[in-house]
Amino acid sequence: MGAPAPDQPGLSAAEAAARLAADGPNELPASRPLGMWRLLVEVVSEPMFLLLGACGAIYLLLGDRGEALLLLAFVVVVVVMTFVQKRRAEHSLSALRVLSSPRALVVRGGRQQRIAGRELARGDIVLLAEGDRVPADIELLTASNLTVDESMLTGESAPVAKQPAGEGGGAGAGRVYAGTLVTNGTASGRVAATGPRSALGRIGASLSALGGGPTPIQRETGRVVRQVAVGGLGLAAGLGLVHWWLRGDWLRALLAGLTLAMAVLPEELPVVLTLFLGLGAWRLARRQVLARSIPAVELLGATSVLCVDKTGTLTANRMEVARLWSERARHDGADLPLPPALHALLEYAVLASHRLAFDPMEAAIGRAGAGWLAGSGRLHADWRLVDDYPLSRRLLAMSRVWQAPRGDGYLIAAKGAPEAIVDLCHLDAARADAIAAQVAAMARDGLRVIGVASAAFASALLPADQHAFDFVFLGLLALADPLRPEVPAAVAEAHAAGIRVVMITGDHPATALAIARQAGIAADGCLTGEALRGLDDGALAARLAGTSVYCRIAPEQKLRLVRAFRARGEIVAMTGDGVNDAPALKAADIGVAMGARGTDVAREAAALVLLADDFSSLLDAVRHGRRLYANLRKALVFIVAVHVPIVGLSVLPVLAGWPMLLMPVHILFLQLIIDPACSIVFEAEPLEADAMRRRPRDAASRLFDREILLRGLAQGGGLLVLLTMLYLQVRWRGGAHELARTAVFVALVGANVCLIHANRSWRGAWERPVFANRYFVWGGLGVLLLLLLALGVAPLRAVFGLVPPDPGAALGGLVVAMLSLAWFETVKRIAARRAARA
């Protein structure tokens, strides 16, 4: 809905930029991302790096300065990698904070523009409407039925009436304050104070920020990390004691214990989650979907019901007047002159709309009036708006009261739902039935129909209710809003993915069913708001399974429908744009606000904001949610699998009486593979080809479940057996321990690269081309180069405890790496068969 605007052009772009530069952005001190130094301190204080420091100190005590220095160099590399990954995630979330800031509709250079609230400057002319969050302290210039919720400033829950200074009212009535909410009416005003100079800034309030608390997956991950860390540290302490008891060397025993602790600790899990969720939200933003709540990103893949509005979501929201009808004439919207008998109908439809219309329907009526009534004397730019009666839940019609420059009384223009206009005009049953038949015929063609009426009023004191006017029925005006061309394919994709699409609209039943049929939504019948009021919860639950179109639905009934779907165990995504939609958006598992036409209240209540108001964006969000969850699970399988041989090769030599196979420097080298693979390679993997042909996952399913654990243990356990056999084979044919260690280390590094490739897809590795993921290609080449350096540079080779491999050891390492890939694929195939049987 538009707002009355003063006859002032507002600031120019240059003036706004100059004042913004002088005053700073219009924002308050909010929760900001961690600073660079604070983030660095957080990284280096992680347990893994503390363990590495302890290992370095032990090497110095043992007199092995080269090993200690190399360990320190690797620590620096891994710290930098971890810091860069966390910083990248912080930047992604920071960009989302900027996107989710309030918006403002301003007049600059005589033109309306919608800008980010932080770009407001002192002196800007701002237009306000119901549902807007006031972006700055504003001196009112015009106002119509304006009330504002100032509870966040005053603690008083009752809305406060506002009007421009000089028109009465108490102290503060002529100003609205930053952070307050417009609950009714429209207004325009001039920005008086921004940012910390506003009333909200002076009392030190802060804006809520994105990602303020841990998500469910983050809490689950934290619990798993704590449990594994406690168990691993206990196992490490036990291994150190066994080593000391068997060999009597307490420094070597301590080093063996610390090495095992490093091998067990899943320190990459929090980094992986932070990066996955942050980059997932950032990727959604690039697709014009703003995630205001990170848990919504997690839940998207489990969505089973999409409750969508018709206008602007399924349709193009480009309304045009398609038909005018009165009891005396009809016009089908062709490029023909409008019959004189219909002039009054269109004249009063224009008068019942806002002059600066933001609503697409009112904008279409304004365009039709400007075209068909040009030069007729029926466009009244000089008339003065006296008052208006807004749409209400009790009466789905609105009236505007006008006064002509030389007129004594008032002229009233009303428009709204045809049945409401018929009620206002007090028509007899025969006329009402004839009008209803016309409405049904238009609605069957997919047109949105409104009624129009006029009245005259001679008294100076206006009544409190529209029913007091003596309205005359003028006719019906029908608007066409074509279906978006991409909607049928998107609905079909949703159905293929096991997601039910439900239309909830305030439109006429015939209009709703016509659009539903065009979109491919099941349209065997519909449930009206009136029928819904007569159903108890049990009867409504019985109707939900077979009904996908709900029409003439009031905002509070949307809340009831969302709760009813959730009570059936569905994961519900709900779209909305108005103030009254906020409770339903909040009650849904995933509230989705319309970014272009939605109110600030709807945006703040929602978990997602569609910056492009179309249904295909919502399907994009679901697609990203499924991709995020699947890739997280792939990364977890890899993490479990990769730790099994590292732990086994740390424990087995102590129990078997062999020299140490893996040292801290080897584990650090492997960290150079594990961290980037988990957080970059797997995050960048595209969606599985059949992901949108599967049913939604159970919302109660856990990220760390039995399937993940068994698959990871099986893959890692098989690799451990192969590596042990390789060590024994080299020693059996007379090779020294260092040669056997070299063969095992080469095989382990190669097998880790194969493990990444195998887990990039739940299907066969051959179905996912090696070069499809550039991060995997560059990462693999980097690992190969580092391995060649460790083997080919004598000082590095000595620090790693390696020797130049002979042909037999090199061939053995290569064979084990290839056999490990075959084993990983076998485990995947067995797991896929078990899942299919289940």
Side-chain angles (χ1 to χ4, degrees), residues 384 386-387 389 401-403 407-412 455-464 468-470:
R384 182 176 68 89
V386 177
D387 203 351
Y389 295 82
V401 182
W402 297 92
Q403 188 171 43
D408 293 332
Y410 300 124
L411 293 170
I412 299 94
F457 195 74
S459 173
L461 185 62
L462 290 170
F469 297 118
D470 188 14

Side-chain angles (χ1 to χ4, degrees), residues 21 108 145 165 211 337 408-409 427 429 607 623 691 745-746 762 827:
R108 284 185 179 171
N145 295 325
D408 293 332
L427 301 182
R623 202 176 291 113
F745 183 68
V746 169
W762 296 132
V827 172

Side-chain angles (χ1 to χ4, degrees), residues 43-98:
V43 169
V44 298
S45 61
E46 289 181 359
M48 171 61 78
F49 302 117
L50 299 179
L51 290 173
L52 289 170
C55 291
I58 292 173
Y59 275 121
L60 287 175
L61 289 174
L62 292 171
D64 197 338
R65 184 175 298 175
E67 185 89 13
L69 290 176
L70 184 62
L71 205 60
L72 178 60
F74 271 132
V75 167
V76 171
V77 172
V78 177
V79 164
V80 169
M81 286 172 46
T82 307
F83 174 79
V84 169
Q85 291 166 19
K86 286 198 172 188
R87 189 73 169 165
R88 186 180 181 189
E90 284 284 334
H91 282 161
S92 299
L93 293 176
S94 180
L96 293 175
R97 289 186 183 96
V98 172

